[in-house]
Amino acid sequence: MRILVSGSLAYDRIMTFPGKFSDHILPDKIHIINVCFLVNGLTEKFGGTAGNIAYSLKLLGQEPVILATAGKDFAGYRQWLEKCGMTFEGVRQVDEEFTAGAYITTDQSDNQITGFNPGAMKFPCGYDVDGLGAADALAIVAPGNLDDMQDYPRRYKARGIRFVLDPGQNITAFSGEALTEMLTGATFLISNDYELELIVNATGLTLADILSRVGTLITTLGEKGSAIRQGGTELAIPPARATAVKDPTGAGDAFRAGLLMGLAAGLPLEKAGRLGSVSAVYAVEHHGTQEHAYTRQEFLARYEENFGPL
């Protein structure tokens, strides 16, 4: 079974300011702000929702297909994905644009100023799923190109392909009507608790309304784990134990990879959610979203340490 991962490919360019933004921003001059922060250097990490999810899926022994767009500066990211053994059949390269990039500056108080250039992400991927059926694929629609985020759910529903809808940070880019159409008929809807509230507010749907429109509702709760609602039942999924918490960025994408692995294997939802918890904990123990690594045997041993035999 192929796991189709639509979303974004992006460079995360991270800078550290050796001071506090508040010392250089004058409250009475915000209307004419003009500030330059001298940073300590720049590190570049590979990121983007599709790249992050696919990376962890590959670690878990799956063969994900990334459905995303990249730009003229994609060569370095491509080499990394090639090293990881990824396929590029679903990646569209847009030569007149840069690959999407986040420029993140953090001060000594952990305040952040981020600029995001969507670049090639402004263009749809256009990957053809017409030849696939319900038994051929499992998919996730993660934040990325807005047209893809609306088009793929329609195409998956028409072909009976199970898919996870993950609107994430792009929730506010859609109208309530568009979000309602996207989630209606989705096999799974996943979000954190704040994003779920945004969906409720944007669509005007109650939680009960949403549950009547999706097969399963999955809510991630950070350090508290996650909750899986289906019909009239709710499963509480505890987090896996971390050896050290270094960076929560990317934990949500790693959780989705573990969840997808469990769904592809036909495991019960509770075990699929626990696989998500174990996958997520590896991400929080490292700086960056594609810096963690493990063998399948190490992963399964850690699952057993936290939750017993799989």
Side-chain angles (χ1 to χ4, degrees):
M1 175 179 290
R2 318 187 89 191
I3 301 182
L4 307 177
V5 184
S6 65
S8 61
L9 290 169
Y11 288 107
D12 294 333
R13 297 179 171 108
I14 303 165
M15 295 159 281
T16 301
F17 174 59
K20 297 180 180 180
F21 296 144
S22 58
D23 293 338
H24 303 273
I25 297 176
L26 305 176
D28 60 335
K29 300 293 184 181
I30 289 178
H31 63 293
I32 54 170
I33 191 167
N34 187 349
V35 181
C36 176
F37 297 109
L38 185 64
V39 299
N40 280 341
L42 178 147
T43 59
E44 184 176 81
K45 303 287 187 181
F46 302 120
T49 55
N52 294 341
I53 296 169
Y55 173 77
S56 285
L57 278 169
K58 189 66 179 180
L59 289 178
L60 292 167
Q62 304 299 307
E63 296 298 332
V65 180
I66 295 172
L67 311 186
T69 48
K72 54 189 174 183
D73 58 342
F74 184 54
Y77 204 149
R78 183 185 182 96
Q79 290 173 3
W80 166 245
L81 294 176
E82 284 176 343
K83 182 179 178 181
C84 296
M86 301 279 194
T87 176
F88 295 91
E89 65 178 271
V91 178
R92 174 188 175 189
Q93 188 156 340
V94 182
D95 291 332
E96 63 270 25
E97 292 280 356
F98 288 101
T99 302
Y103 299 80
I104 306 163
T105 304
T106 305
D107 74 359
Q108 289 184 330
S109 297
D110 286 332
N111 297 307
Q112 289 187 331
I113 296 175
T114 300
F116 183 77
N117 171 35
M121 199 178 76
K122 293 181 290 188
F123 295 84
C125 170
Y127 183 77
D128 186 7
V129 300
D130 290 347
L132 299 176
D136 302 315
L138 171 67
I140 182 168
V141 180
N145 175 266
L146 300 182
D147 292 331
D148 282 342
M149 292 183 68
Q150 294 183 86
D151 184 45
Y152 282 123
R154 296 187 190 113
R155 295 165 74 181
Y156 294 148
K157 293 172 198 175
R159 286 156 185 80
I161 295 173
R162 294 183 302 155
F163 73 97
V164 178
L165 178 65
D166 174 21
Q169 62 262 36
N170 284 355
I171 289 171
T172 56
F174 296 105
S175 67
E177 292 77 12
L179 280 170
T180 299
E181 180 194 352
M182 291 159 64
L183 67 85
T184 300
T187 322
F188 309 91
L189 172 64
I190 188 168
S191 68
N192 61 36
D193 49 349
Y194 181 78
E195 291 164 349
L196 180 58
E197 192 66 29
L198 289 178
I199 293 171
V200 168
N201 292 338
T203 61
L205 299 172
T206 65
L207 193 60
D209 293 333
I210 292 173
L211 282 166
S212 72
R213 291 170 179 266
V214 303
T216 303
L217 178 62
I218 303 168
T219 309
T220 58
L221 304 169
E223 62 185 14
K224 296 180 181 179
S226 59
I228 299 177
R229 299 179 180 94
Q230 187 179 58
T233 64
E234 180 173 339
L235 296 171
I237 307 298
R241 294 183 296 274
T243 56
V245 177
K246 294 185 178 179
D247 183 5
T249 307
D253 291 333
F255 176 89
R256 285 149 175 79
L259 176 76
L260 286 164
M261 174 195 176
L263 296 175
L267 295 176
L269 279 172
E270 185 173 22
K271 289 189 175 183
R274 289 175 172 179
L275 286 169
S277 290
V278 177
S279 182
V281 81
Y282 280 102
V284 304
E285 292 171 347
H286 295 79
H287 290 287
T289 58
Q290 296 180 34
E291 304 297 318
H292 54 287
Y294 47 78
T295 66
R296 185 179 176 89
Q297 291 71 28
E298 289 169 341
F299 181 90
L300 294 176
R302 191 154 190 190
Y303 180 98
E304 189 164 331
E305 289 171 6
N306 280 271
F307 300 115
L310 181 61

